[in-house]
Amino acid sequence: MRRILATATLGLALFGAAACADTEPQATSTPTPGAAATSAAAAPAGTDKKAACANLTKAIGDLETQGAAIVPKVLNPATQQAAIPELTKLVTDFKAAYGKDVSTLADAELKAAVEADLKALDTGLAAVVAANGDAAKIQAAISAPEFGAAGTKVKTLCAAA
């Protein structure tokens, strides 16, 4: 039972650690309408770093909130079998929300970090599904160094945004 708790908690906390900072930039001057149009035209197409970090933070918050309701079901032997599809859906939904902007991210370093996190999540989720409820195999899957390191780079990059 402790193993399952540790596994579920670690899985949810993993991306909780990736929370990005959401700070407002300070305006240093008021741009003229012509300058704003020029800046907008010169800006690279895609999702900017601040918007991406806001979306990443929301995805992580949703995962933590919904996970708090699902984890007790996963830990209860009477509800565990029914909760596994809920947990899988939660992780799948999280993956979709977390990777929502990846194809349009203007910041190449943040894009690479999110792609690496998504790859680690795919690998970990596949291993969890393949474990077929075997707590030791699930623990091994999410204890992999790549899975454990997921979110760290995104957190660092978003904190600097």
PDB file of all heavy atoms in Angstrom, residues 96-125:
ATOM      1  N   ALA A  96      -2.073  16.399 -23.130  1.00  0.00           N
ATOM      2  CA  ALA A  96      -2.624  17.245 -24.197  1.00  0.00           C
ATOM      3  C   ALA A  96      -2.527  18.724 -23.821  1.00  0.00           C
ATOM      4  O   ALA A  96      -2.142  19.559 -24.647  1.00  0.00           O
ATOM      5  CB  ALA A  96      -4.075  16.858 -24.478  1.00  0.00           C
ATOM      6  N   ALA A  97      -2.866  19.056 -22.588  1.00  0.00           N
ATOM      7  CA  ALA A  97      -2.811  20.452 -22.145  1.00  0.00           C
ATOM      8  C   ALA A  97      -1.368  20.940 -22.032  1.00  0.00           C
ATOM      9  O   ALA A  97      -1.045  22.066 -22.424  1.00  0.00           O
ATOM     10  CB  ALA A  97      -3.526  20.609 -20.804  1.00  0.00           C
ATOM     11  N   TYR A  98      -0.493  20.106 -21.503  1.00  0.00           N
ATOM     12  CA  TYR A  98       0.914  20.466 -21.314  1.00  0.00           C
ATOM     13  C   TYR A  98       1.606  20.665 -22.664  1.00  0.00           C
ATOM     14  O   TYR A  98       2.444  21.539 -22.827  1.00  0.00           O
ATOM     15  CB  TYR A  98       1.603  19.375 -20.495  1.00  0.00           C
ATOM     16  CG  TYR A  98       2.971  19.730 -19.960  1.00  0.00           C
ATOM     17  CD1 TYR A  98       3.119  20.570 -18.859  1.00  0.00           C
ATOM     18  CD2 TYR A  98       4.123  19.191 -20.526  1.00  0.00           C
ATOM     19  CE1 TYR A  98       4.375  20.874 -18.344  1.00  0.00           C
ATOM     20  CE2 TYR A  98       5.385  19.483 -20.026  1.00  0.00           C
ATOM     21  CZ  TYR A  98       5.499  20.328 -18.935  1.00  0.00           C
ATOM     22  OH  TYR A  98       6.748  20.616 -18.424  1.00  0.00           O
ATOM     23  N   GLY A  99       1.234  19.862 -23.645  1.00  0.00           N
ATOM     24  CA  GLY A  99       1.871  19.946 -24.959  1.00  0.00           C
ATOM     25  C   GLY A  99       1.119  20.789 -25.962  1.00  0.00           C
ATOM     26  O   GLY A  99       1.500  20.862 -27.132  1.00  0.00           O
ATOM     27  N   LYS A 100       0.070  21.451 -25.514  1.00  0.00           N
ATOM     28  CA  LYS A 100      -0.802  22.227 -26.398  1.00  0.00           C
ATOM     29  C   LYS A 100      -0.050  23.225 -27.272  1.00  0.00           C
ATOM     30  O   LYS A 100      -0.348  23.363 -28.450  1.00  0.00           O
ATOM     31  CB  LYS A 100      -1.843  22.930 -25.530  1.00  0.00           C
ATOM     32  CG  LYS A 100      -2.663  23.995 -26.198  1.00  0.00           C
ATOM     33  CD  LYS A 100      -3.690  24.544 -25.253  1.00  0.00           C
ATOM     34  CE  LYS A 100      -3.325  25.937 -24.853  1.00  0.00           C
ATOM     35  NZ  LYS A 100      -4.402  26.636 -24.182  1.00  0.00           N
ATOM     36  N   ASP A 101       0.924  23.913 -26.732  1.00  0.00           N
ATOM     37  CA  ASP A 101       1.625  24.966 -27.466  1.00  0.00           C
ATOM     38  C   ASP A 101       2.951  24.518 -28.067  1.00  0.00           C
ATOM     39  O   ASP A 101       3.647  25.314 -28.679  1.00  0.00           O
ATOM     40  CB  ASP A 101       1.910  26.157 -26.528  1.00  0.00           C
ATOM     41  CG  ASP A 101       0.638  26.799 -26.017  1.00  0.00           C
ATOM     42  OD1 ASP A 101      -0.336  26.905 -26.789  1.00  0.00           O
ATOM     43  OD2 ASP A 101       0.613  27.199 -24.831  1.00  0.00           O
ATOM     44  N   VAL A 102       3.302  23.252 -27.897  1.00  0.00           N
ATOM     45  CA  VAL A 102       4.652  22.817 -28.267  1.00  0.00           C
ATOM     46  C   VAL A 102       4.964  23.073 -29.741  1.00  0.00           C
ATOM     47  O   VAL A 102       6.084  23.469 -30.073  1.00  0.00           O
ATOM     48  CB  VAL A 102       4.908  21.350 -27.857  1.00  0.00           C
ATOM     49  CG1 VAL A 102       4.201  20.377 -28.771  1.00  0.00           C
ATOM     50  CG2 VAL A 102       6.387  21.061 -27.817  1.00  0.00           C
ATOM     51  N   SER A 103       4.021  22.898 -30.615  1.00  0.00           N
ATOM     52  CA  SER A 103       4.310  23.074 -32.042  1.00  0.00           C
ATOM     53  C   SER A 103       4.445  24.537 -32.435  1.00  0.00           C
ATOM     54  O   SER A 103       5.021  24.842 -33.474  1.00  0.00           O
ATOM     55  CB  SER A 103       3.239  22.394 -32.899  1.00  0.00           C
ATOM     56  OG  SER A 103       2.000  23.020 -32.714  1.00  0.00           O
ATOM     57  N   THR A 104       3.938  25.446 -31.620  1.00  0.00           N
ATOM     58  CA  THR A 104       4.000  26.865 -31.960  1.00  0.00           C
ATOM     59  C   THR A 104       4.892  27.674 -31.023  1.00  0.00           C
ATOM     60  O   THR A 104       4.925  28.895 -31.120  1.00  0.00           O
ATOM     61  CB  THR A 104       2.587  27.495 -31.951  1.00  0.00           C
ATOM     62  OG1 THR A 104       2.018  27.348 -30.642  1.00  0.00           O
ATOM     63  CG2 THR A 104       1.688  26.839 -32.988  1.00  0.00           C
ATOM     64  N   LEU A 105       5.601  27.004 -30.126  1.00  0.00           N
ATOM     65  CA  LEU A 105       6.462  27.729 -29.191  1.00  0.00           C
ATOM     66  C   LEU A 105       7.544  28.499 -29.936  1.00  0.00           C
ATOM     67  O   LEU A 105       8.273  27.925 -30.744  1.00  0.00           O
ATOM     68  CB  LEU A 105       7.119  26.769 -28.204  1.00  0.00           C
ATOM     69  CG  LEU A 105       6.327  26.492 -26.938  1.00  0.00           C
ATOM     70  CD1 LEU A 105       6.933  25.339 -26.172  1.00  0.00           C
ATOM     71  CD2 LEU A 105       6.231  27.708 -26.074  1.00  0.00           C
ATOM     72  N   ALA A 106       7.641  29.784 -29.661  1.00  0.00           N
ATOM     73  CA  ALA A 106       8.653  30.619 -30.299  1.00  0.00           C
ATOM     74  C   ALA A 106      10.019  30.430 -29.637  1.00  0.00           C
ATOM     75  O   ALA A 106      11.050  30.593 -30.280  1.00  0.00           O
ATOM     76  CB  ALA A 106       8.232  32.093 -30.239  1.00  0.00           C
ATOM     77  N   ASP A 107      10.049  30.062 -28.369  1.00  0.00           N
ATOM     78  CA  ASP A 107      11.297  29.871 -27.633  1.00  0.00           C
ATOM     79  C   ASP A 107      11.789  28.438 -27.841  1.00  0.00           C
ATOM     80  O   ASP A 107      11.186  27.484 -27.348  1.00  0.00           O
ATOM     81  CB  ASP A 107      11.066  30.154 -26.146  1.00  0.00           C
ATOM     82  CG  ASP A 107      12.338  30.113 -25.336  1.00  0.00           C
ATOM     83  OD1 ASP A 107      12.831  28.991 -25.084  1.00  0.00           O
ATOM     84  OD2 ASP A 107      12.837  31.186 -24.961  1.00  0.00           O
ATOM     85  N   ALA A 108      12.869  28.281 -28.588  1.00  0.00           N
ATOM     86  CA  ALA A 108      13.373  26.953 -28.953  1.00  0.00           C
ATOM     87  C   ALA A 108      13.788  26.130 -27.733  1.00  0.00           C
ATOM     88  O   ALA A 108      13.561  24.917 -27.689  1.00  0.00           O
ATOM     89  CB  ALA A 108      14.543  27.086 -29.920  1.00  0.00           C
ATOM     90  N   GLU A 109      14.376  26.768 -26.739  1.00  0.00           N
ATOM     91  CA  GLU A 109      14.840  26.038 -25.561  1.00  0.00           C
ATOM     92  C   GLU A 109      13.654  25.514 -24.742  1.00  0.00           C
ATOM     93  O   GLU A 109      13.664  24.371 -24.282  1.00  0.00           O
ATOM     94  CB  GLU A 109      15.742  26.935 -24.710  1.00  0.00           C
ATOM     95  CG  GLU A 109      16.489  26.186 -23.640  1.00  0.00           C
ATOM     96  CD  GLU A 109      17.489  27.074 -22.887  1.00  0.00           C
ATOM     97  OE1 GLU A 109      17.441  28.319 -22.996  1.00  0.00           O
ATOM     98  OE2 GLU A 109      18.318  26.488 -22.175  1.00  0.00           O
ATOM     99  N   LEU A 110      12.626  26.348 -24.570  1.00  0.00           N
ATOM    100  CA  LEU A 110      11.427  25.918 -23.848  1.00  0.00           C
ATOM    101  C   LEU A 110      10.719  24.810 -24.628  1.00  0.00           C
ATOM    102  O   LEU A 110      10.262  23.825 -24.050  1.00  0.00           O
ATOM    103  CB  LEU A 110      10.479  27.093 -23.599  1.00  0.00           C
ATOM    104  CG  LEU A 110       9.213  26.789 -22.802  1.00  0.00           C
ATOM    105  CD1 LEU A 110       9.548  26.232 -21.423  1.00  0.00           C
ATOM    106  CD2 LEU A 110       8.355  28.046 -22.672  1.00  0.00           C
ATOM    107  N   LYS A 111      10.664  24.954 -25.943  1.00  0.00           N
ATOM    108  CA  LYS A 111      10.044  23.937 -26.790  1.00  0.00           C
ATOM    109  C   LYS A 111      10.744  22.586 -26.610  1.00  0.00           C
ATOM    110  O   LYS A 111      10.094  21.556 -26.435  1.00  0.00           O
ATOM    111  CB  LYS A 111      10.104  24.365 -28.250  1.00  0.00           C
ATOM    112  CG  LYS A 111       9.472  23.375 -29.202  1.00  0.00           C
ATOM    113  CD  LYS A 111       9.493  23.888 -30.631  1.00  0.00           C
ATOM    114  CE  LYS A 111       8.806  22.903 -31.555  1.00  0.00           C
ATOM    115  NZ  LYS A 111       8.556  23.461 -32.867  1.00  0.00           N
ATOM    116  N   ALA A 112      12.063  22.588 -26.632  1.00  0.00           N
ATOM    117  CA  ALA A 112      12.826  21.346 -26.462  1.00  0.00           C
ATOM    118  C   ALA A 112      12.580  20.735 -25.087  1.00  0.00           C
ATOM    119  O   ALA A 112      12.450  19.509 -24.950  1.00  0.00           O
ATOM    120  CB  ALA A 112      14.312  21.611 -26.675  1.00  0.00           C
ATOM    121  N   ALA A 113      12.487  21.580 -24.062  1.00  0.00           N
ATOM    122  CA  ALA A 113      12.251  21.088 -22.701  1.00  0.00           C
ATOM    123  C   ALA A 113      10.865  20.459 -22.577  1.00  0.00           C
ATOM    124  O   ALA A 113      10.711  19.397 -21.964  1.00  0.00           O
ATOM    125  CB  ALA A 113      12.421  22.223 -21.697  1.00  0.00           C
ATOM    126  N   VAL A 114       9.848  21.099 -23.151  1.00  0.00           N
ATOM    127  CA  VAL A 114       8.483  20.553 -23.096  1.00  0.00           C
ATOM    128  C   VAL A 114       8.430  19.239 -23.881  1.00  0.00           C
ATOM    129  O   VAL A 114       7.823  18.266 -23.425  1.00  0.00           O
ATOM    130  CB  VAL A 114       7.449  21.571 -23.622  1.00  0.00           C
ATOM    131  CG1 VAL A 114       6.075  20.932 -23.776  1.00  0.00           C
ATOM    132  CG2 VAL A 114       7.360  22.774 -22.687  1.00  0.00           C
ATOM    133  N   GLU A 115       9.074  19.203 -25.050  1.00  0.00           N
ATOM    134  CA  GLU A 115       9.098  17.964 -25.843  1.00  0.00           C
ATOM    135  C   GLU A 115       9.769  16.828 -25.067  1.00  0.00           C
ATOM    136  O   GLU A 115       9.305  15.688 -25.100  1.00  0.00           O
ATOM    137  CB  GLU A 115       9.807  18.193 -27.179  1.00  0.00           C
ATOM    138  CG  GLU A 115       8.967  19.010 -28.152  1.00  0.00           C
ATOM    139  CD  GLU A 115       9.709  19.390 -29.426  1.00  0.00           C
ATOM    140  OE1 GLU A 115      10.971  19.411 -29.433  1.00  0.00           O
ATOM    141  OE2 GLU A 115       9.027  19.686 -30.422  1.00  0.00           O
ATOM    142  N   ALA A 116      10.845  17.143 -24.363  1.00  0.00           N
ATOM    143  CA  ALA A 116      11.528  16.116 -23.555  1.00  0.00           C
ATOM    144  C   ALA A 116      10.621  15.625 -22.426  1.00  0.00           C
ATOM    145  O   ALA A 116      10.573  14.424 -22.137  1.00  0.00           O
ATOM    146  CB  ALA A 116      12.833  16.671 -22.989  1.00  0.00           C
ATOM    147  N   ASP A 117       9.895  16.545 -21.787  1.00  0.00           N
ATOM    148  CA  ASP A 117       8.964  16.158 -20.725  1.00  0.00           C
ATOM    149  C   ASP A 117       7.856  15.259 -21.275  1.00  0.00           C
ATOM    150  O   ASP A 117       7.484  14.270 -20.649  1.00  0.00           O
ATOM    151  CB  ASP A 117       8.335  17.389 -20.074  1.00  0.00           C
ATOM    152  CG  ASP A 117       9.289  18.149 -19.190  1.00  0.00           C
ATOM    153  OD1 ASP A 117      10.399  17.649 -18.926  1.00  0.00           O
ATOM    154  OD2 ASP A 117       8.924  19.269 -18.763  1.00  0.00           O
ATOM    155  N   LEU A 118       7.328  15.609 -22.450  1.00  0.00           N
ATOM    156  CA  LEU A 118       6.268  14.812 -23.056  1.00  0.00           C
ATOM    157  C   LEU A 118       6.771  13.412 -23.415  1.00  0.00           C
ATOM    158  O   LEU A 118       6.059  12.424 -23.243  1.00  0.00           O
ATOM    159  CB  LEU A 118       5.698  15.521 -24.285  1.00  0.00           C
ATOM    160  CG  LEU A 118       4.896  16.785 -23.975  1.00  0.00           C
ATOM    161  CD1 LEU A 118       4.570  17.536 -25.259  1.00  0.00           C
ATOM    162  CD2 LEU A 118       3.630  16.469 -23.196  1.00  0.00           C
ATOM    163  N   LYS A 119       8.002  13.342 -23.898  1.00  0.00           N
ATOM    164  CA  LYS A 119       8.586  12.041 -24.229  1.00  0.00           C
ATOM    165  C   LYS A 119       8.735  11.199 -22.953  1.00  0.00           C
ATOM    166  O   LYS A 119       8.401  10.005 -22.935  1.00  0.00           O
ATOM    167  CB  LYS A 119       9.933  12.221 -24.905  1.00  0.00           C
ATOM    168  CG  LYS A 119      10.568  10.925 -25.321  1.00  0.00           C
ATOM    169  CD  LYS A 119      11.897  11.141 -26.024  1.00  0.00           C
ATOM    170  CE  LYS A 119      12.523   9.797 -26.354  1.00  0.00           C
ATOM    171  NZ  LYS A 119      13.850   9.919 -26.904  1.00  0.00           N
ATOM    172  N   ALA A 120       9.222  11.807 -21.883  1.00  0.00           N
ATOM    173  CA  ALA A 120       9.370  11.096 -20.604  1.00  0.00           C
ATOM    174  C   ALA A 120       8.012  10.647 -20.079  1.00  0.00           C
ATOM    175  O   ALA A 120       7.875   9.543 -19.541  1.00  0.00           O
ATOM    176  CB  ALA A 120      10.077  11.986 -19.582  1.00  0.00           C
ATOM    177  N   LEU A 121       6.995  11.492 -20.247  1.00  0.00           N
ATOM    178  CA  LEU A 121       5.644  11.145 -19.808  1.00  0.00           C
ATOM    179  C   LEU A 121       5.109   9.973 -20.618  1.00  0.00           C
ATOM    180  O   LEU A 121       4.525   9.040 -20.057  1.00  0.00           O
ATOM    181  CB  LEU A 121       4.717  12.358 -19.933  1.00  0.00           C
ATOM    182  CG  LEU A 121       3.313  12.220 -19.373  1.00  0.00           C
ATOM    183  CD1 LEU A 121       3.351  11.900 -17.886  1.00  0.00           C
ATOM    184  CD2 LEU A 121       2.530  13.496 -19.604  1.00  0.00           C
ATOM    185  N   ASP A 122       5.315   9.991 -21.939  1.00  0.00           N
ATOM    186  CA  ASP A 122       4.880   8.878 -22.785  1.00  0.00           C
ATOM    187  C   ASP A 122       5.549   7.575 -22.363  1.00  0.00           C
ATOM    188  O   ASP A 122       4.903   6.543 -22.238  1.00  0.00           O
ATOM    189  CB  ASP A 122       5.228   9.154 -24.261  1.00  0.00           C
ATOM    190  CG  ASP A 122       4.251  10.105 -24.919  1.00  0.00           C
ATOM    191  OD1 ASP A 122       3.146  10.300 -24.389  1.00  0.00           O
ATOM    192  OD2 ASP A 122       4.606  10.662 -25.977  1.00  0.00           O
ATOM    193  N   THR A 123       6.853   7.643 -22.169  1.00  0.00           N
ATOM    194  CA  THR A 123       7.612   6.454 -21.779  1.00  0.00           C
ATOM    195  C   THR A 123       7.138   5.933 -20.425  1.00  0.00           C
ATOM    196  O   THR A 123       6.904   4.731 -20.250  1.00  0.00           O
ATOM    197  CB  THR A 123       9.119   6.771 -21.726  1.00  0.00           C
ATOM    198  OG1 THR A 123       9.523   7.243 -23.022  1.00  0.00           O
ATOM    199  CG2 THR A 123       9.937   5.562 -21.356  1.00  0.00           C
ATOM    200  N   GLY A 124       6.975   6.838 -19.465  1.00  0.00           N
ATOM    201  CA  GLY A 124       6.513   6.445 -18.132  1.00  0.00           C
ATOM    202  C   GLY A 124       5.105   5.890 -18.143  1.00  0.00           C
ATOM    203  O   GLY A 124       4.821   4.872 -17.504  1.00  0.00           O
ATOM    204  N   LEU A 125       4.206   6.546 -18.907  1.00  0.00           N
ATOM    205  CA  LEU A 125       2.819   6.086 -18.974  1.00  0.00           C
ATOM    206  C   LEU A 125       2.740   4.718 -19.637  1.00  0.00           C
ATOM    207  O   LEU A 125       2.012   3.839 -19.174  1.00  0.00           O
ATOM    208  CB  LEU A 125       1.952   7.096 -19.724  1.00  0.00           C
ATOM    209  CG  LEU A 125       0.454   6.809 -19.783  1.00  0.00           C
ATOM    210  CD1 LEU A 125      -0.130   6.669 -18.385  1.00  0.00           C
ATOM    211  CD2 LEU A 125      -0.270   7.891 -20.549  1.00  0.00           C
TER     212      LEU A 125
END
